[in-house]
Amino acid sequence: RAGRGVTVVVSPLIALMQDQVSALTQLGVRAAMLNSTLDFRTATAVERAMREGQLDLVYVAPERLKTPGFIDLLGRCALALFAIDEAHCVSQWGHDFRPDYLELRILHERFPAVPRLALTATADERTRTDIAARLALDAPHWFVGGFDRPNIRYTVRARGNARTQLESFLAQFRGQAGIVYCMTRRKVEETAEALCAAGFNALPYHAGLDARTRADNQTRFLREDGLIMVATIAF
C-alpha cells in the first residue's frame, strides 16, 4: 500500500505523459512531469516541488530515472510508490522498444521499502512472470483483467499503391480525427505533406521535431476536430 509522499510514474512516451498530467490536473490532482520538453527553469521547479512534498504524482521516462542525479533527487523526497507503466517493456519480449526499462531493478536496490506497481495491458502469463523476475517483485499480488477490446478492430489488406490506398481510406472518415503511423521520421514528414496536399488536415509528430512543435501539434490534435496526426511510435 502506498504511503504519504510522491508517486513516481515511469512512462515511456512524452505524449502520453502530457495527456495524463493534463487530465489529472483538471481533476485537482497535483501532477507534473519531467522530460526533455521542459526548459531548465520548469524542470527545476518540478524537482523542488518533489522535494517539498507539493506533488502527488510525477511522470518520468526510464532514461531519466536511472541517472545518478535523479536517483539522488529521489533520495531527498518522501516517496509513496513507484508505478511502472507499460511494464511489458521490462520483459525480454518487449525491451527492444525501450532498453532502459531493463535497468529499473535499481528501484528495488536503492529504495527497497518503497512499494512498486507494474502495469500493462499486453502481457500473457509468461510475460507477467518475466516482468516480476526482472523487477525483483518478490511474491507479488496479481490483478489480471480481461484482454478483450471490443472497441478495437484490426483489418489487414494487401498493399498496392500505399498513398492512394491511404487517401481512399481516410476519405471514408473525412472530418474525423485519426493517427497514421509510419516507420521513419522522413516517412512521417512525406506522408503529412502529401495528405495536406490532398486536402486533409494533417500534422507530423516524431522525436526529430523541436519540443515546441511537438507540443503544439499534440495540443492541436487534442483540441481540434478532424485532425490527422502522422507519427512514429513516439506518439
Side-chain angles (χ1 to χ4, degrees):
R1 190 169 81 180
R4 299 183 63 181
V6 62
T7 291
V8 179
V9 182
V10 183
S11 181
L13 299 175
I14 290 175
L16 186 61
M17 292 185 201
Q18 293 172 329
D19 189 32
Q20 293 184 346
V21 168
S22 177
L24 286 167
T25 53
Q26 289 180 26
L27 294 172
V29 179
R30 301 180 301 171
M33 60 184 179
L34 277 171
N35 58 45
S36 59
T37 67
L38 305 184
D39 57 38
F40 177 78
R41 179 178 297 180
T42 304
T44 300
V46 172
E47 292 177 355
R48 182 172 60 252
M50 289 178 62
R51 292 194 303 270
E52 296 177 355
Q54 298 175 357
L55 288 175
D56 300 311
L57 290 100
V58 62
Y59 286 74
V60 62
E63 291 84 357
R64 180 184 293 263
L65 186 143
K66 70 173 188 176
T67 62
F70 192 78
I71 292 294
D72 179 67
L73 170 65
L74 292 178
R76 290 180 283 139
C77 298
L79 300 172
L81 175 74
F82 290 115
I84 302 163
D85 200 9
E86 307 296 341
H88 53 272
C89 294
V90 174
S91 168
Q92 63 176 315
W93 314 109
H95 67 253
D96 286 347
F97 170 45
R98 297 297 279 273
D100 293 277
Y101 263 81
L102 292 178
E103 300 185 38
L104 293 182
R105 190 185 183 96
I106 192 174
L107 297 177
H108 169 67
E109 297 169 353
R110 293 294 300 273
F111 308 100
V114 180
R116 283 163 297 133
L117 179 67
L119 304 161
T120 177
T122 53
D124 57 15
E125 183 176 357
R126 185 179 184 184
T127 305
R128 295 196 300 269
T129 301
D130 195 31
I131 290 170
R134 289 174 181 267
L135 290 177
L137 300 176
D138 299 324
H141 295 286
W142 299 93
F143 301 91
V144 182
F147 292 92
D148 180 38
R149 303 291 186 89
N151 61 320
I152 297 177
R153 182 183 66 190
Y154 294 93
T155 302
V156 180
R157 298 181 181 177
R159 176 169 176 164
N161 184 307
R163 184 69 52 76
T164 300
Q165 285 178 301
L166 177 60
E167 292 178 6
S168 176
F169 174 79
L170 294 177
Q172 302 174 52
F173 304 95
R174 191 175 291 276
Q176 298 183 39
I179 306 172
V180 176
Y181 284 106
C182 299
M183 293 294 293
T184 65
R185 299 176 184 180
R186 179 179 177 181
K187 196 66 175 179
V188 165
E189 296 283 355
E190 292 176 348
T191 303
E193 291 177 5
L195 290 178
C196 287
F200 296 96
N201 188 12
L203 291 174
Y205 188 104
H206 59 73
L209 297 173
D210 63 87
R212 172 55 60 186
T213 299
R214 285 204 313 272
D216 288 346
N217 287 0
Q218 180 184 349
T219 299
R220 286 188 58 188
F221 181 73
L222 292 173
R223 296 179 179 176
E224 295 182 20
D225 294 329
L227 195 147
I228 299 169
M229 188 71 86
V230 185
T232 60
I233 56 172
F235 194 68

